[in-house]
């Protein structure tokens, strides 16, 4: 019997990764209903939209679920960095006839704060997970007082130790293979980042709290491998991207099913923080990781938004963030409950399911 699953009343210690921008409550509800832990990403939702999502979850399931928030520092606008970034994009503005003067700056992703904490108090989710560290101590205590088990992503052993020392109840060891944003929060040196196979056993040896493996796990064999390496549970994102309940756009779905998906890279072009996505035109032409000045996370997104819209209107994803992990072999256009069933066969040999 798996302690982590037992503590949450889950049938399987499998977490569907929260994925901002490609899912709402339908995926959460389907996964939780199938005996795993469904997640709802909140970073791109307003408080009103989150309230509506929470009502839908409460209406549709009484199973445990996870609410996920970003906890980056709110960036100060930097006019010089914004101007440098727009200069780099100028040839594309000319190509698409975009008037750069009319682009509104804006964040688009909000960190965890009082408004979100009030909704945690009101709806009392069994699990709250964070990306980019943990919120300030007072907010953290508030989440714990609401009864939530708190998880956060660690991309190094040092981050795992830090999370445990600051009150995380479990640590998600996010290997370099993972799709979407790196959870990195202690410094920004990407040479510190480890693959899942290297990170997981080292994190497991360094902390006492349960460790969830994430990154590159795409089928039952991958689930069994992570459990054999000592994981207390697994978290998968990419494999759920084609599921019926995900809101992944048709262009993103097409890219995931194309040969292009074989080549992913870390890029900071879309948001200002490194995230893994399928290499596309803007990543190829500007280089996926920009070291020249650019607005801080998440302000980088605004200047790219009209190019994304213009390209998408022409039917291409040249300027779209196509988040994906390195292993997309598990992607299937099937109901999420069926995906959970396929993946959870990996627990049979380990005795981790109930
Ligand atoms: C499309 C996409 C969006 C993501 N968005 C989030 C997010 O909003 N919050 C978060 O904590 N992690 C996010 N992640 C990262 C996942 O939590 C997880 O680390 C990753 O999906 C695991 O690797 P895999 O994609 O190889 O399964 C995202 C991943 C993907 C693929």
């Amino acid at each position: 019997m798996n302690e982590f699953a037992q503590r949450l009343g889950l049938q399987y210690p499998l977490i569907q990764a929260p994925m901002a921008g490609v899912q709402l409550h339908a995926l959460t509800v389907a996964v939780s209903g199938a005996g795993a832990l469904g997640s709802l990403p909140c970073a791109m939702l307003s408080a009103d939209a989150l309230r509506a999502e929470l009502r839908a979850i409460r209406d549709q399931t009484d199973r445990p679920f996870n609410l996920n928030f970003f906890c980056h520092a709110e960036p100060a606008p930097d006019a010089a960095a914004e101007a440098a970034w727009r200069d780099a994009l100028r040839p594309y503005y000319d190509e698409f006839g975009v008037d750069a003067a009319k682009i509104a700056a804006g964040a688009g992703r909000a960190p965890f704060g009082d408004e979100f904490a009030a909704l945690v108090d009101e709806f009392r989710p069994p699990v709250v997970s964070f990306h980019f560290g943990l919120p300030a101590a007072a907010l953290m205590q508030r989440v714990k007082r609401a009864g939530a088990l708190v998880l956060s992503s660690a991309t190094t052993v040092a981050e795992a130790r830090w999370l445990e020392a600051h009150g995380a109840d479990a640590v998600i060891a996010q290997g370099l293979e993972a799709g979407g944003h790196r959870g990195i929060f202690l410094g920004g040196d990407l040479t510190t980042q480890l693959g899942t196979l290297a990170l997981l056993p080292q994190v497991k040896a360094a902390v006492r709290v349960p460790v969830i493996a994430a990154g590159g796990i795409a089928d039952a064999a991958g689930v069994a491998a992570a459990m054999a390496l000592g994981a207390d549970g697994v978290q998968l994102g990419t494999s759920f991207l084609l599921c019926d309940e995900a809101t992944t756009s048709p262009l993103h779905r097409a890219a995931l099913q194309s040969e292009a998906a074989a080549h992913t890279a870390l890029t900071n072009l879309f948001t200002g923080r490194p995230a893994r996505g399928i290499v596309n035109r803007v990543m190829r032409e500007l280089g996926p990781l920009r070291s020249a000045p650019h607005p801080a996370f998440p302000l980088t997104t605004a200047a790219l938004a009209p190019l994304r819209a213009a390209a998408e209107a022409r039917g291409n994803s040249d300027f779209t963030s196509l988040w994906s992990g390195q292993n997309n072999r598990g992607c299937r256009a099937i109901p999420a409950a069926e995906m959970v069933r396929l993946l959870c066969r990996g627990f049979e040999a380990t005795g981790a399911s109930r």
Side-chain angles (χ1 to χ4, degrees):
M1 174 48 127
N2 178 280
E3 263 184 58
F4 178 74
Q6 193 177 25
R7 192 155 150 194
L8 285 171
L10 302 173
Q11 205 173 340
Y12 310 104
L14 181 137
I15 305 175
Q16 162 254 314
M19 295 188 286
V22 298
Q23 63 147 132
L24 291 166
H25 69 269
L27 187 61
T28 321
V29 168
V31 171
S32 287
L37 188 69
S39 300
L40 182 74
C42 305
M44 294 172 79
L45 298 178
S46 67
D48 283 346
L50 175 52
R51 176 184 293 281
E53 290 297 310
L54 283 164
R55 286 207 175 115
I57 291 174
R58 284 286 187 229
D59 283 350
Q60 293 171 39
T61 184
D62 54 6
R63 305 291 305 150
F65 64 96
N66 166 37
L67 279 194
N68 171 261
F69 300 95
F70 285 179
C71 37
H72 55 283
E74 201 106 50
D78 176 338
E82 185 71 45
W85 177 221
R86 289 184 185 205
D87 266 356
L89 296 176
R90 194 154 310 281
Y92 301 123
Y93 293 148
D94 293 344
E95 179 184 333
F96 286 92
V98 170
D99 181 355
K102 291 201 176 128
I103 301 172
R109 290 169 175 84
F112 188 68
D114 281 329
E115 258 193 326
F116 283 150
L119 288 166
V120 169
D121 285 340
E122 186 181 337
F123 285 88
R124 305 179 81 81
V127 181
V128 169
S129 73
F130 293 106
H131 218 40
F132 314 135
L134 290 169
L139 282 170
M140 178 78 172
Q141 274 159 21
R142 201 164 156 187
V143 173
K144 291 218 163 186
R145 269 201 308 274
L149 194 85
V150 175
L151 277 55
S152 183
S153 305
T155 66
T156 62
V157 171
E159 286 181 351
R161 287 206 176 100
W162 188 98
L163 291 174
E164 180 178 52
H166 289 80
D169 298 305
V171 166
I172 301 157
Q174 189 197 32
L176 192 48
E177 301 91 326
H181 282 98
R182 306 288 313 138
I184 184 170
F185 63 94
L186 292 181
D189 180 356
L190 292 179
T191 65
T192 61
Q193 303 291 281
L194 306 177
T196 305
L197 206 67
L199 179 65
L200 172 62
Q202 296 191 72
V203 167
K204 189 67 195 161
V207 299
R208 294 155 70 117
V209 292
V211 178
I212 313 299
I217 303 169
D219 54 18
V223 170
M227 298 305 284
L229 273 179
D232 298 281
V234 294
Q235 173 163 306
L236 287 81
T238 300
S239 292
F240 286 95
L241 283 172
L242 295 184
C243 282
D244 299 349
E245 296 87 348
T247 59
T248 315
S249 71
L251 282 171
H252 196 170
R253 285 178 191 261
L256 284 162
Q257 293 172 92
S258 74
E259 284 180 13
H263 187 191
T264 66
L266 292 185
T267 180
N268 59 4
L269 297 181
F270 296 106
T271 66
R273 267 186 185 261
R276 183 174 297 285
I278 298 170
V279 174
N280 61 0
R281 179 181 166 196
V282 70
M283 288 164 71
R284 250 190 319 270
E285 291 182 356
L286 295 184
L289 288 167
R290 180 177 165 86
S291 51
H294 56 274
F297 177 89
L299 300 177
T300 307
T301 308
L304 214 53
L307 295 171
R308 173 182 179 147
E312 287 184 355
R314 292 183 189 181
N316 77 62
S317 53
D318 289 348
F319 296 86
T320 305
S321 52
L322 299 167
W323 302 149
S324 169
Q326 286 182 330
N327 186 358
N328 78 335
R329 288 198 58 219
C331 290
R332 302 256 184 293
I334 56 175
E338 177 67 8
M339 178 61 73
V340 170
R341 203 181 58 75
L342 290 174
L343 293 169
C344 288
R345 285 187 191 147
F347 293 120
E348 279 163 19
T350 70
S353 50
R354 292 207 284 179

